[in-house]
């Protein structure tokens, strides 16, 4: 059943969704800053996937997980982006890729062999700043979303990448001007922050201020650290927004995403007011309506439907399915779908209007969500001029 939204002044609700005149979406918003965390639509050189294996929680349905990762790999490569595959078993993945990916695309793949606990590249991957002297690769501590899960190997992936890059045994992964920055004194996951590329960072209080991450620091300390490290002018922390089954303490990439510096797509409250998500998502929606851009104007808001309840087939617990967990590529957007025709189509059409110069590519994420994540969680992009071709 399709979800319907009430038309309001600041929220775009028409299914055809025409962007207002003069509102750019995507790389057409030119960043002029000399030191900044680029938005996801900034031109990219590569995307990282950390591949599932039998030693992870994917083991009971590893074949299905492989299928989804192959599909993501194919779509990334088809966009002519480099693909970095992190895996402790490169030979198995090479064989899988050889069977399933056209040979003409495989030269774009770089393999990096490393032990891994899990697959969430968004949270253990580098955050890449762009500066006038070259990219700065920020390696923050990943502690399994507040020590909920083992993360010792995943937390070492970035450091191992840079150590391998300093040897002469393999071709360099990063461009010569890339600078490694050890940020292991601070816990920060890529899925917990959104950058508009113009100095605004969007995040949530529930995650950034949660226990077992940086609990010795005050809110002021954390905001000051983000301002310093990410060259941010504004830190916006939402007070509301949570999905049942979410292990991340409300990562922003499950809730609200920049589509341009003036446009935010977000997980809207369900039409069913008895749904346990309704009150909190309605409060988040109101927060977003009250936000203003750096120039003082309201954001254009694009409501994405909350998927109907997705449950784990083994024990029936509700899974944190969301359409906000999409990945922006150079010429496409990878959208997670959940075998819900009306909702899938609605989310597709609304993102198509938000990204008129990009293809919207639907990817069945019903296997991914069983591990409480989706497409954006599985991936980490590197901006242009970071990875060596």
């Amino acid at each position: 059943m399709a979800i319907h939204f009430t038309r309001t002044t600041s929220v775009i609700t028409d299914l055809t969704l025409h962007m207002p005149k003069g509102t750019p979406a995507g790389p057409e918003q030119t960043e002029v800053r000399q030191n900044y965390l680029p938005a996801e639509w900034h031109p990219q050189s590569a995307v990282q996937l950390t591949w599932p294996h039998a030693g992870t929680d994917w083991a009971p349905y590893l074949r299905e997980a492989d299928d989804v990762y192959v599909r993501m790999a194919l779509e990334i490569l088809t966009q002519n982006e480099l693909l970095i595959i992190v895996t402790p078993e490169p030979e198995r993945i090479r064989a899988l890729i050889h069977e399933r990916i056209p040979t003409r695309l495989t030269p774009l793949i770089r393999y990096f062999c490393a032990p891994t606990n899990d697959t969430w590249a968004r949270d253990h991957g580098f955050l890449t700043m762009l500066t006038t002297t070259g990219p700065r690769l920020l390696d923050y501590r990943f502690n399994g979303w507040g020590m909920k899960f083992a993360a010792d190997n995943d937390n070492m992936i970035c450091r191992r990448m840079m150590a391998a890059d300093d040897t002469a045994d393999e071709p360099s992964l990063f461009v010569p001007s890339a600078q490694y920055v050890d940020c292991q004194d601070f816990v920060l996951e890529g899925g917990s922050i959104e950058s508009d590329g113009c100095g605004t960072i969007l995040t949530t209080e529930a995650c950034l201020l949660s226990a077992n991450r940086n609990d010795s620091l005050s809110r002021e300390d954390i905001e000051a650290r983000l301002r310093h490290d990410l060259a941010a002018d504004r830190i916006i922390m939402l007070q509301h927004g949570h999905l049942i089954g979410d292990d991340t303490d409300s990562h922003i990439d499950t809730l609200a995403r920049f589509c341009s510096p003036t446009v935010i797509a977000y997980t809207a409250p369900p039409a069913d007011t008895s749904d346990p998500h309704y009150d909190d998502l309605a409060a988040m929606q109101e927060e977003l309506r009250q936000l203003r851009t750096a120039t003082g104007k309201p954001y254009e808001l694009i409501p994405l439907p909350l998927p109907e309840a997705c449950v784990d087939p083994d024990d029936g617990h509700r899974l944190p399915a969301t359409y906000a967990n999409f990945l922006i590529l150079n010429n496409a957007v990878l959208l997670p779908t959940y075998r819900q025709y009306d909702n899938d189509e609605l989310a597709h059409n609304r993102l198509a209007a938000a990204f008129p110069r990009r293809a919207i590519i639907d990817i069945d994420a019903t296997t991914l969500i069983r591990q409480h994540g989706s497409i954006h969680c599985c991936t980490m992009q590197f901006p242009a001029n970071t990875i060596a071709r």
Side-chain angles (χ1 to χ4, degrees), residues 128-200:
T128 307
M129 296 288 292
L130 295 181
T131 76
T132 55
T133 58
R136 300 180 76 235
L137 302 167
L138 308 186
D139 181 12
Y140 288 98
R141 181 155 54 98
F142 174 57
N143 71 348
W145 308 288
M147 297 188 287
K148 297 183 182 73
F149 303 95
D152 53 325
N153 288 325
D154 291 345
N155 186 51
M156 289 294 294
I157 289 173
C158 291
R159 187 170 299 185
R160 287 183 168 120
M161 277 185 172
M162 188 54 66
D165 218 49
D166 290 337
T167 71
D169 297 336
E170 297 288 340
S172 179
L173 183 63
F174 302 104
V175 297
S177 61
Q179 310 160 48
Y180 174 84
V181 183
D182 188 340
C183 301
Q184 287 284 315
D185 62 326
F186 190 75
V187 177
L188 184 66
E189 300 117 27
S192 70
I193 59 172
E194 274 281 302
S195 172
D196 69 350
C198 300
T200 296

Side-chain angles (χ1 to χ4, degrees), residues 22 30 35 82-83 115 120 133-134 178 187 192 207 227 236 254-255 279 335 361 380:
T30 303
N35 178 29
L82 293 177
L83 174 63
W120 307 111
T133 58
V187 177
S192 70
C207 181
R227 289 175 184 274
I236 299 174
T254 68
L255 298 168
D279 289 344
L335 172 67
I361 300 172
M380 174 54 84

Side-chain angles (χ1 to χ4, degrees), residues 109-120:
I109 301 176
R110 303 288 294 275
Y111 293 90
F112 183 75
C113 183
T116 63
N117 303 103
D118 215 323
T119 56
W120 307 111

Side-chain angles (χ1 to χ4, degrees), residues 8-314:
T8 62
T9 302
S10 61
V11 181
I12 302 172
T13 58
D14 184 1
L15 182 61
T16 58
L17 193 62
H18 297 288
M19 298 295 289
K21 292 181 179 180
T23 302
E28 296 74 24
Q29 281 281 351
T30 303
E31 293 107 342
V32 295
R33 302 170 70 88
Q34 294 182 336
N35 178 29
Y36 63 102
L37 180 65
E40 197 165 304
W41 56 80
H42 183 92
Q44 299 171 10
S45 56
V47 175
Q48 177 181 327
L49 287 175
T50 303
W51 209 280
H53 57 84
T56 65
D57 290 340
W58 300 94
Y61 35 91
L62 182 59
R63 180 177 296 180
E64 293 89 342
D66 280 341
D67 290 344
V68 184
Y69 269 72
V70 167
R71 175 73 193 285
M72 288 191 291
L74 176 62
E75 298 299 345
I76 293 165
L77 293 167
T78 300
Q79 301 303 317
N80 197 36
E81 295 195 36
L82 293 177
L83 174 63
I84 300 168
I85 296 178
V86 177
T87 173
E89 44 184 25
E91 294 311 311
R92 183 182 84 86
I93 307 307
R94 285 180 192 271
L96 187 63
I97 293 292
H98 178 74
E99 292 176 0
R100 309 278 290 278
I101 300 288
T103 304
R104 62 182 173 81
L105 297 176
T106 57
L108 294 172
I109 301 176
R110 303 288 294 275
Y111 293 90
F112 183 75
C113 183
T116 63
N117 303 103
D118 215 323
T119 56
W120 307 111
R122 180 62 47 181
D123 296 335
H124 61 241
F126 281 117
L127 289 176
T128 307
M129 296 288 292
L130 295 181
T131 76
T132 55
T133 58
R136 300 180 76 235
L137 302 167
L138 308 186
D139 181 12
Y140 288 98
R141 181 155 54 98
F142 174 57
N143 71 348
W145 308 288
M147 297 188 287
K148 297 183 182 73
F149 303 95
D152 53 325
N153 288 325
D154 291 345
N155 186 51
M156 289 294 294
I157 289 173
C158 291
R159 187 170 299 185
R160 287 183 168 120
M161 277 185 172
M162 188 54 66
D165 218 49
D166 290 337
T167 71
D169 297 336
E170 297 288 340
S172 179
L173 183 63
F174 302 104
V175 297
S177 61
Q179 310 160 48
Y180 174 84
V181 183
D182 188 340
C183 301
Q184 287 284 315
D185 62 326
F186 190 75
V187 177
L188 184 66
E189 300 117 27
S192 70
I193 59 172
E194 274 281 302
S195 172
D196 69 350
C198 300
T200 296
I201 300 296
L202 182 64
T203 183
T204 67
E205 289 184 354
C207 181
L208 268 288
L209 306 183
S210 69
N212 297 325
R213 280 184 171 87
N214 300 297
D215 51 357
S216 64
L217 302 179
S218 68
R219 177 187 181 125
E220 292 73 20
D221 293 334
I222 291 170
E223 288 194 2
R225 178 64 182 261
L226 295 180
R227 289 175 184 274
H228 175 270
D229 288 7
L230 307 180
D233 301 322
R234 302 196 306 158
I235 309 296
I236 299 174
M237 289 193 188
L238 297 180
Q239 296 178 345
H240 297 279
H242 176 72
L243 300 179
I244 295 171
D246 174 29
D247 296 320
T248 69
D249 304 303
S250 298
H251 268 190
I252 195 67
D253 70 351
T254 68
L255 298 168
R257 304 287 309 284
F258 283 120
C259 301
S260 86
T262 61
V263 178
I264 297 175
Y266 71 100
T267 301
D272 180 4
T273 58
S274 67
D275 187 293
H277 290 101
Y278 180 82
D279 289 344
D280 197 39
L281 290 180
M284 184 186 76
Q285 178 176 255
E286 186 57 33
E287 277 190 274
L288 293 171
R289 289 173 176 168
Q290 298 303 317
L291 292 185
R292 295 297 180 265
T293 67
T295 59
K297 298 179 180 179
Y299 284 96
E300 296 290 348
L301 300 180
I302 300 177
L304 301 175
L306 178 71
E308 294 176 13
C310 294
V311 298
D312 187 275
D314 293 332

